[in-house]
Amino acid sequence: MARTGRPRIEIDKQLFENLCGLQCTRDEIALCFGCCVDTLEKWCKREYGKTFSLVFEEKKARGKVSLRRMQWKLAKKSAALAIFLGKNYLGQTDKQDVELSGKVGIETIADLMMEDETGEAANGADKDT
């Protein structure tokens, strides 16, 4: 018996994987192929035997590798752009190590907390009188 109904939408596997590598959203990928997200989900199950989310996680890793490669190239010309991309897409952050030296006692902390709005210490130790 012949199959009836609408013919299946052709989804180019290589293009799909490239779009995942670019970290396009599910909606954007579906729009690119002219289908709904449900159709995309069913295609992933047929083609990969996995849900869209699982396939997407695997394929977007290629995009991260490519982005890291570009960062090295961009760092030669635009460090600011490389930093921006790394923070936004690779989860990189600026971490600053803070090192305290000297003794900080209860009295010092109390003095700091007691400073008035003029910036002078409450006990008058910093006054020139």
Side-chain angles (χ1 to χ4, degrees), residues 24-72:
C24 294
T25 66
R26 179 187 320 238
D27 291 334
E28 291 168 341
I29 295 171
L31 183 63
C32 180
F33 292 114
C35 67
C36 67
V37 292
D38 292 337
T39 301
L40 193 60
E41 184 73 39
K42 290 174 189 174
W43 178 82
C44 285
K45 287 188 179 183
R46 274 195 319 272
E47 197 66 31
Y48 296 98
K50 301 176 186 175
T51 64
F52 172 86
S53 297
L54 292 174
V55 175
F56 182 77
E57 287 300 315
E58 290 174 9
K59 303 303 176 186
K60 82 174 185 179
R62 282 184 29 204
K64 285 186 176 184
V65 169
S66 179
L67 182 57
R68 286 183 194 276
R69 188 179 308 114
M70 284 190 293
Q71 272 190 297
W72 283 104

Side-chain angles (χ1 to χ4, degrees), residues 49-105:
K50 301 176 186 175
T51 64
F52 172 86
S53 297
L54 292 174
V55 175
F56 182 77
E57 287 300 315
E58 290 174 9
K59 303 303 176 186
K60 82 174 185 179
R62 282 184 29 204
K64 285 186 176 184
V65 169
S66 179
L67 182 57
R68 286 183 194 276
R69 188 179 308 114
M70 284 190 293
Q71 272 190 297
W72 283 104
K73 290 178 183 178
L74 286 174
K76 294 176 185 175
K77 297 178 183 176
S78 173
L81 182 56
I83 292 167
F84 172 81
L85 292 171
K87 286 179 181 179
N88 284 282
Y89 293 106
L90 302 175
Q92 298 168 344
T93 60
D94 290 331
K95 293 184 182 177
Q96 298 177 350
D97 293 330
V98 177
E99 185 176 314
L100 298 175
S101 62
K103 292 185 177 181
V104 177

